[in-house]
């Protein structure tokens, strides 16, 4: 459990706060995980405490995925305070001290959540330092953390002037999802799979995060970021580390961070020739986008982890906006048998290699596909699959949403699912060849799977999206891929 906690929410009136953070804090309060809680919101908007509470109620009604009764809301609303940034650091300190005085116990924690654009993050840190609020504090940083290697090193140096490394929590909401953590359980809790999690058995790995949505009025942010900085460095490389890491000595933050950082150090620099950049048609017509913008809305790449376990195994990563559908898939392709005893026309190999698939969407599903004999005379093989979905289990309703889990972990000081300074700096370092010499941007139609050049990138393999066989949906609770 956590100490009584005051959350200082920078960017409290912004989109992230309304969609995820305020509803998430309410659920953590309702569940008792953060029952001794006060929230001090601050932002550029001039509004009263009552106005902020009304904004928070609207956010909960529009974005919460859970039922909230009036009594719970009234109790939570009384724990919300607000003051504009224009009030200054001293007023912020007074508000935090007042909130802490309403909490029980002698030991109290301050959790600063910087739900602000990257360019405003250091200003928020300066405000915290000027207000004298660094003691007993942890600070949660949103992505992207820097925009290249040099800026990431400089940002870490400035942060460390106010906070120790163990006070800084660089958030990646992908790692807060139950399915992402289930990769660790699947790999290291089962003697069946760990021996084959190796270059001797695995042909290649795909991490695929297409999005059907567009910019969502974020042109100012996206124009200065692009798909590579927005998604690959901050999300997809983190998922790659969970997939590729060696067994940690213990399920605790330092041991897991150590193994993740070993993966990052083993990764070869990403070469421009192994990257395909794309931009959906109509991007230049988006409000706030320059008419000659070369910002990529799509990126696919091939990278390698140059260590004993993964030598020679390519990892293919893909993400983009305005694609055919939205999903979050990890697909492990196993090598095919070296020789087939089955006759021609039996169907073996016709539907590709065996795959282990993780669906990282909130429904938390996984599938293992393999060949089996089709019933009847003769010897005809067909692709079969075993599937699992969290919704089929008795603990389907017990999961926390990604931001809820990460806020709770930060309040407990558990850095397992967060990125360290050496880790993020190394990821920018291996990305520098692409950032310095980006390949050309290829157009792709909205509602497709990206530019045609992606097929040359992955050859002789093929992309797994879209699945030929969809996830099976059984009567009753939702289920599990193909």
């Amino acid at each position: 459990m956590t100490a009584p906690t005051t959350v200082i929410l920078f960017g409290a009136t912004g989109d992230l706060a309304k969609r995820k953070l305020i509803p998430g804090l309410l659920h953590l309060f309702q569940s008792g995980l953060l029952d001794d809680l006060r929230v001090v919101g601050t932002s550029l908007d001039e509004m009263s405490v009552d106005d902020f509470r009304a904004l928070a109620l609207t956010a909960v009604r529009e974005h919460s995925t859970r039922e909230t009764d009036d009594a719970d809301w009234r109790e939570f609303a009384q724990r919300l305070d607000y003051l504009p940034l224009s009030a200054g650091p001293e007023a912020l300190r007074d508000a935090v001290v007042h909130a802490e005085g309403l909490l029980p116990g002698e030991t109290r924690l301050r959790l600063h959540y910087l739900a602000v654009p990257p360019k405003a993050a250091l200003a928020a840190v300066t405000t915290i330092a000027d207000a004298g609020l660094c003691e007993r504090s942890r600070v949660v940083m949103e992505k992207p953390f820097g925009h290249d290697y040099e800026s990431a090193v400089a940002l870490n140096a400035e942060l460390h002037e106010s906070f120790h490394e163990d006070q800084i929590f660089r958030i990646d909401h992908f790692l807060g999802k139950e399915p992402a953590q289930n990769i660790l359980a699947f790999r290291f809790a089962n003697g069946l799979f760990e021996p084959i999690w190796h270059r001797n058995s695995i042909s290649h790995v795909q991490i695929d995060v297409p999005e059907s949505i567009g910019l969502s009025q974020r042109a100012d942010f996206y124009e200065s970021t692009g798909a590579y900085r927005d998604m690959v460095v901050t999300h997809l490389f983190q998922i790659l580390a969970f997939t590729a890491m060696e067994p940690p000595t213990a399920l605790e933050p330092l041991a897991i961070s150590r193994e993740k950082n070993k993966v990052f150090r083993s990764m070869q620099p990403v070469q421009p020739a192994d990257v395909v950049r794309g931009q959906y048609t109509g991007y230049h017509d988006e409000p706030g986008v320059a008419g000659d913008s070369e910002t990529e809305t799509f990126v696919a790449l091939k990278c390698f982890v140059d260590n004993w376990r993964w030598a020679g195994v390519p990892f293919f990563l893909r993400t983009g906006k305005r694609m055919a559908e939205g999903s979050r898939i990890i697909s492990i392709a196993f090598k095919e048998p070296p020789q087939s005893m089955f006759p021609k026309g039996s169907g073996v190999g016709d539907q590709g290699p065996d795959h282990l698939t993780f669906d990282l969407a909130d429904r938390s599903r996984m599938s293992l596909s393999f060949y089996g004999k089709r019933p009847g005379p003769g010897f005809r093989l067909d692709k079969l699959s075993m599937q699992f979905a969290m919704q089929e289990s008795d603990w389907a309703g017990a999961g926390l949403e990604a931001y809820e889990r990460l806020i709770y972990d930060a309040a407990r000081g558990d850095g397992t699912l967060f990125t360290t300074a050496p880790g993020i700096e190394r990821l920018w370092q291996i990305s520098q060849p692409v950032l310095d010499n980006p390949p050309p941007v290829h157009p792709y139609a909205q509602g497709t799977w990206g530019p045609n050049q992606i097929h040359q990138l992955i050859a002789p393999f093929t992309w797994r999206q879209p699945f030929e066989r969809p996830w099976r949906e059984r009567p009753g609770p939702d289920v599990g891929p193909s």
Side-chain angles (χ1 to χ4, degrees):
M1 301 300 292
T2 66
T5 301
T6 301
V7 176
I8 301 93
L9 181 55
F10 288 81
T13 60
D15 186 59
L16 176 61
K18 289 186 286 190
R19 285 188 302 108
K20 295 295 184 181
L21 304 183
I22 292 172
L25 287 167
L26 171 59
H27 180 243
L28 290 172
F29 172 73
Q30 287 177 303
S31 65
L33 294 173
L34 287 180
D35 53 348
D36 292 328
L37 172 71
R38 307 291 302 190
V39 179
V40 178
T42 186
S43 77
L44 296 174
D45 291 312
E46 300 286 336
M47 64 171 60
S48 67
V49 174
D50 288 340
D51 290 338
F52 178 62
R53 290 174 178 174
L55 178 148
L57 177 57
T58 300
V60 168
R61 285 174 172 170
E62 292 181 356
H63 301 293
S64 179
T65 59
R66 302 177 176 91
E67 295 293 329
T68 301
D69 61 39
D70 291 341
D72 282 345
W73 169 253
R74 285 194 297 270
E75 175 64 22
F76 180 71
Q78 295 305 308
R79 296 166 181 266
L80 301 179
D81 197 1
Y82 181 85
L83 78 163
L85 279 171
S86 59
E90 290 186 7
L92 179 62
R93 176 176 178 81
D94 291 344
V96 172
V97 170
H98 173 73
E100 289 179 330
L102 300 174
L103 291 171
E106 298 297 324
T107 302
R108 303 183 183 97
L109 171 71
R110 298 162 181 162
L111 184 65
H112 305 280
Y113 198 115
L114 309 190
V116 297
K119 60 186 178 183
L122 278 179
V125 171
T126 300
T127 298
I128 295 168
D130 290 347
L133 294 174
C134 294
E135 294 181 1
R136 297 181 281 109
S137 286
R138 296 175 184 133
V139 57
V140 179
M141 305 283 294
E142 275 290 335
K143 57 94 174 177
F145 194 86
H147 61 270
D148 58 15
Y149 174 68
E150 186 176 326
S151 64
V153 171
L155 180 55
N156 278 324
E158 293 192 56
L159 277 174
H160 291 153
E161 291 181 5
S162 301
F163 295 98
H164 298 294
E165 177 62 21
D166 61 5
Q167 292 179 279
I168 303 169
F169 292 78
R170 300 167 188 82
I171 198 167
D172 173 14
H173 70 271
F174 272 43
L175 296 189
K177 294 178 177 293
E178 289 285 350
Q181 297 164 67
N182 213 11
I183 297 171
L184 297 183
F186 192 89
R187 284 193 59 192
F188 302 130
N190 298 294
L192 174 63
F193 291 102
E194 178 53 28
I196 62 172
W197 212 266
H198 191 277
R199 57 186 167 83
N200 291 343
S201 301
I202 292 176
S203 165
H204 65 281
V205 177
Q206 292 183 35
I207 301 175
D208 216 343
V209 187
E211 297 180 292
S212 59
I213 61 173
L215 299 189
S216 303
Q217 300 179 336
R218 296 166 70 229
D220 181 54
F221 165 79
Y222 206 79
E223 272 287 271
S224 62
T225 306
Y228 190 95
R229 289 181 170 93
D230 182 38
M231 292 292 291
V232 175
V233 177
T234 51
H235 292 321
L236 273 62
F237 280 159
Q238 299 297 326
I239 296 296
L240 185 154
F242 264 34
T243 307
M245 63 189 278
E246 296 296 321
T249 55
L251 196 65
E252 54 90 16
L254 286 178
I256 291 177
S257 293
R258 187 181 303 119
E259 297 305 329
K260 284 175 57 184
N261 287 342
K262 286 180 183 178
V263 173
F264 298 148
R265 288 197 301 272
S266 298
M267 290 177 66
Q268 298 177 0
V270 181
Q271 299 303 317
D274 291 331
V275 177
V276 174
R277 297 168 71 228
Q279 186 184 91
Y280 64 77
T281 54
Y283 177 72
H284 290 160
D285 299 327
E286 299 277 11
V289 173
D292 59 351
S293 172
E294 291 291 304
T295 300
E296 79 278 1
T297 62
F298 170 97
V299 64
L301 63 134
K302 175 171 61 177
C303 58
F304 294 89
V305 178
D306 195 15
N307 62 15
W308 188 269
R309 182 183 293 264
W310 296 107
V313 177
F315 287 75
F316 297 100
L317 282 54
R318 178 172 63 165
T319 186
K321 301 286 188 184
R322 297 286 187 193
M323 298 184 69
E325 64 183 67
S327 62
R328 296 161 184 170
I329 297 292
I330 301 174
S331 185
I332 314 294
F334 293 98
K335 290 184 175 180
E336 298 189 50
Q339 187 171 347
S340 176
M341 66 180 181
F342 298 99
K344 290 182 179 181
S346 64
V348 65
D350 288 354
Q351 299 181 56
D354 300 340
H355 282 87
L356 175 64
T357 305
F358 295 89
D359 184 346
L360 299 186
D362 293 330
R363 288 177 290 181
S364 186
R365 305 181 290 195
M366 67 178 68
S367 166
L368 178 64
S369 69
F370 52 91
Y371 285 96
K373 182 183 178 300
R374 184 184 297 178
F379 218 105
R380 179 69 181 172
L381 301 179
D382 210 345
K383 206 67 174 292
L384 310 174
S385 66
M386 293 188 295
Q387 302 180 356
F388 165 79
M390 185 69 72
Q391 282 73 8
E392 294 179 303
S393 68
D394 293 336
W395 6 279
L400 296 176
E401 291 190 0
Y403 279 98
E404 296 169 357
R405 174 177 297 279
L406 293 170
I407 292 170
Y408 178 59
D409 284 355
R412 293 190 301 126
D414 185 342
T416 302
L417 302 177
F418 297 85
T419 309
T420 64
I424 195 66
E425 290 175 11
R426 174 58 181 166
L427 292 178
W428 283 119
Q429 189 177 37
I430 65 173
S431 299
Q432 205 62 48
V434 175
L435 302 178
D436 290 341
N437 187 26
V441 172
H442 301 283
Y444 65 97
Q446 297 187 35
T448 65
W449 293 103
N452 289 332
Q453 287 77 7
I454 62 172
H455 303 298
Q456 301 166 14
L457 176 71
I458 201 171
F461 311 115
T462 57
W463 293 100
R464 286 274 285 160
Q465 292 271 10
F467 288 123
E468 294 181 1
R469 295 174 310 285
W471 291 91
R472 291 196 293 267
E473 304 293 343
R474 300 179 188 130
D478 183 20
V479 238
S482 78

